[in-house]
Amino acid sequence: MTDPNPRCRLTGVLLLTSQVAMIAGAAVVVPSGLTLSPSDPAAVLAAVGEHAGLHLTELALDVVGWLALTAAGLVMAAGTARTPRPYLVTLAGGLLAGAGLSGLLHDAGNLALTQLAARPAAPAAATVASAVLLTAKWMVDLAGLLWVAATAAGAMGIPMPPGLRVAGVIAVLSGLAAVALPWTTGLDGPTAALERLGYALHLPVMIWYGVLGWRFARGRNLDVS
């Protein structure tokens, strides 16, 4: 029998893949101290050099997560959603894709640190690492902002139970708090403690998309066939 809603199911699988990969990456980063705070670039280079394997493993998981999120957003935006407000679904998909691309740029910056960590004694290595880290952090902050905006648009436009819609609003507020954190640190960038807090505040957004992805994978709520 032909699947009556293949785009919806594909969106769900991609969203679930994205969330699983990102949570697995965070599970590698936080316990190993690889949150890579720009406030101490020398310590970051030392940590990456000492745990290069874990760093690359986390990056691989993160790249898979952001790629899957980008693909999910593109599939969502490309479909013709049979909902009362299809433009909000298209907007949510476009914002998700933008968040995924920003996240990939963030990973590109973190990957560059592996080269710097291999030569920590090179002239100006710490200075270059600081610039790379700050750029990467602002890119992931942009990704978070786009992701939160996509969550708001999705919660308003995608048909779903009232409880899940309320959960989406809560996730938006939590995500906005996470996005605001780096702005409280001025030019220094977030500390390791703020990095961990940011992960925790983004968790409701990730859980919400995990639930949404599960519903889509089961062919429920959104008809984009």
Side-chain angles (χ1 to χ4, degrees):
M1 181 180 295
T2 302
D3 190 336
N5 201 354
R7 288 180 181 267
C8 182
R9 294 184 189 277
L10 177 58
T11 302
V13 170
L14 289 169
L15 285 176
L16 287 173
T17 301
S18 171
Q19 304 319 300
V20 170
M22 289 186 184
I23 290 174
V28 172
V29 164
V30 176
S32 60
L34 287 171
T35 49
L36 308 185
S37 171
S39 61
D40 193 350
V44 167
L45 291 177
V48 171
E50 183 179 355
H51 304 289
L54 284 176
H55 177 65
L56 291 174
T57 299
E58 182 275 329
L59 274 179
L61 290 168
D62 216 39
V63 167
V64 170
W66 289 118
L67 275 174
L69 192 71
T70 302
L74 291 174
V75 173
M76 185 185 296
T80 304
R82 297 174 185 173
T83 70
R85 289 176 286 187
Y87 59 92
L88 286 177
V89 179
T90 301
L91 176 62
L95 290 168
L96 269 186
L101 291 174
S102 297
L104 288 171
L105 290 175
H106 158 75
D107 285 340
N110 282 348
L111 182 61
L113 287 174
T114 59
Q115 299 298 315
L116 292 170
R119 303 173 182 82
T127 302
V128 175
S130 178
V132 170
L133 283 166
L134 283 172
T135 302
K137 291 306 176 188
W138 285 115
M139 287 310 303
V140 80
D141 199 52
L142 174 61
L145 181 60
L146 292 170
W147 204 350
V148 168
T151 305
M156 290 186 294
I158 298 172
M160 64 185 68
L164 188 57
R165 199 177 303 279
V166 171
V169 173
I170 294 172
V172 166
L173 295 176
S174 183
L176 281 176
V179 169
L181 279 180
W183 294 90
T184 67
T185 63
L187 298 177
D188 294 330
T191 63
L194 281 178
E195 286 285 324
R196 289 190 289 270
L197 178 58
Y199 280 116
L201 288 171
H202 272 302
L203 193 57
V205 177
M206 300 176 77
I207 292 173
W208 190 79
Y209 274 98
V211 174
L212 198 65
W214 177 252
R215 296 181 69 88
F216 283 0
R218 295 173 63 192
R220 300 178 64 178
N221 299 118
L222 182 63
D223 187 351
V224 291
S225 58

